[in-house]
Amino acid sequence: MQPLHDPALVEVRRSRKRVRTVSAWREGERTVIAIPARFTRAQEKEWVHRMVTRLATQERRRRPSDVELADRARELSARYLSSRAVPTSVRWSTNQGRRWGSCTPSEGTIRISDRVRGMPRWVIDYVLLHELTHLLHACHGPEFWAELDAYPRTQRAQGFLEGYSFRAERGEDADGSAAEAAEVDELDGDELDGVVRDEAPTA
């Protein structure tokens, strides 16, 4: 196992302009940690460990297992659909073609495209809710969309998926660039420098 500070794994970037924040993000196989230039070596070690751990936790949330996906579907049904949508199974699928997911109301089964795996959690939640709503309304009629109105990020998630598809159709690296840009966007302007950001001590 390579040591944590191996440049092939972790790159620490010091900046005099950076005063109150520490950021972390992936560049290929490397993890980049941006820290204030004033940090001591002990502070650097502490914050590298903290941010690498936080980034890994964030990535696990964005790549749930089949069991975690089913658990999340139950949580979303309870929160937004009053637990009325009760699937018999929810799992990832590699044969969805261009669809983000599919639902078979007669069987109660939901399949989510493996392309969604790794997208921001609020996008995964939208796709899950979309398919859960099909258990209540088979077609995309007014009642269907009225149910999804309860989810506050419906339009934003739709825009994300449309942008992802557009990039894929143009042959761009939708799996990498789109997901990273969206994660920065998810932080709503307070986190401008990377995927994960935290406040650094001022003294």
Side-chain angles (χ1 to χ4, degrees), residues 14 19 21-22 34-45 47-48 199-202:
R14 290 175 173 262
V19 178
T21 59
V22 178
I35 64 174
R38 62 181 170 80
F39 268 18
T40 65
R41 291 299 175 187
Q43 288 175 313
E44 174 185 316
K45 182 177 180 180
W47 279 87
V48 165
E199 287 289 317
T202 56

Side-chain angles (χ1 to χ4, degrees), residues 13 15 79 83 112 181 185:
R13 296 179 184 174
S15 172
R79 183 172 181 179
S83 296
I112 304 299
D185 183 53

Side-chain angles (χ1 to χ4, degrees), residues 87-123:
T88 57
S89 69
V90 182
R91 63 177 176 81
W92 296 105
S93 173
T94 58
N95 63 349
Q96 294 297 300
R98 296 171 62 87
R99 297 176 300 181
W100 301 115
S102 63
C103 174
T104 307
S106 61
E107 299 176 3
T109 58
I110 290 175
R111 301 293 175 260
I112 304 299
S113 172
D114 199 56
R115 292 185 300 152
V116 178
R117 204 169 196 168
M119 289 184 181
R121 182 165 179 171
W122 49 272
V123 177

Side-chain angles (χ1 to χ4, degrees), residues 19-186:
V19 178
R20 295 182 56 82
T21 59
V22 178
S23 302
W25 64 92
R26 305 290 191 200
E27 286 187 1
E29 295 182 356
R30 291 183 304 162
T31 299
V32 179
I33 313 291
I35 64 174
R38 62 181 170 80
F39 268 18
T40 65
R41 291 299 175 187
Q43 288 175 313
E44 174 185 316
K45 182 177 180 180
E46 174 191 349
W47 279 87
V48 165
H49 176 75
R50 182 182 301 187
M51 299 305 279
V52 166
T53 300
R54 184 172 298 182
L55 186 57
T57 299
Q58 176 176 289
E59 290 174 339
R60 282 195 297 272
R61 287 183 62 201
R62 290 172 57 182
R63 295 181 179 275
S65 65
D66 282 348
V67 172
E68 292 168 330
L69 192 68
D71 288 343
R72 185 60 178 168
R74 283 190 289 272
E75 292 172 8
L76 292 168
S77 178
R79 183 172 181 179
Y80 296 104
L81 302 172
S82 302
S83 296
R84 289 174 294 132
V86 183
T88 57
S89 69
V90 182
R91 63 177 176 81
W92 296 105
S93 173
T94 58
N95 63 349
Q96 294 297 300
R98 296 171 62 87
R99 297 176 300 181
W100 301 115
S102 63
C103 174
T104 307
S106 61
E107 299 176 3
T109 58
I110 290 175
R111 301 293 175 260
I112 304 299
S113 172
D114 199 56
R115 292 185 300 152
V116 178
R117 204 169 196 168
M119 289 184 181
R121 182 165 179 171
W122 49 272
V123 177
I124 299 174
D125 283 354
Y126 166 74
V127 175
L128 278 170
L129 269 171
H130 187 107
E131 301 309 328
L132 284 166
T133 303
H134 275 307
L135 292 175
L136 308 176
H137 308 283
C139 301
H140 292 115
E143 293 180 338
F144 176 91
W145 294 113
E147 297 276 10
L148 277 179
D149 279 346
Y151 183 59
R153 290 187 166 183
T154 289
Q155 292 186 352
R156 189 177 180 190
Q158 289 171 339
F160 177 94
L161 293 170
E162 288 172 5
Y164 185 101
S165 295
F166 178 74
R167 289 178 63 87
E169 288 170 3
R170 292 178 58 187
E172 298 181 18
D173 184 11
D175 287 329
S177 301
E180 181 176 346
E183 186 64 23
V184 172
D185 183 53
E186 185 186 0

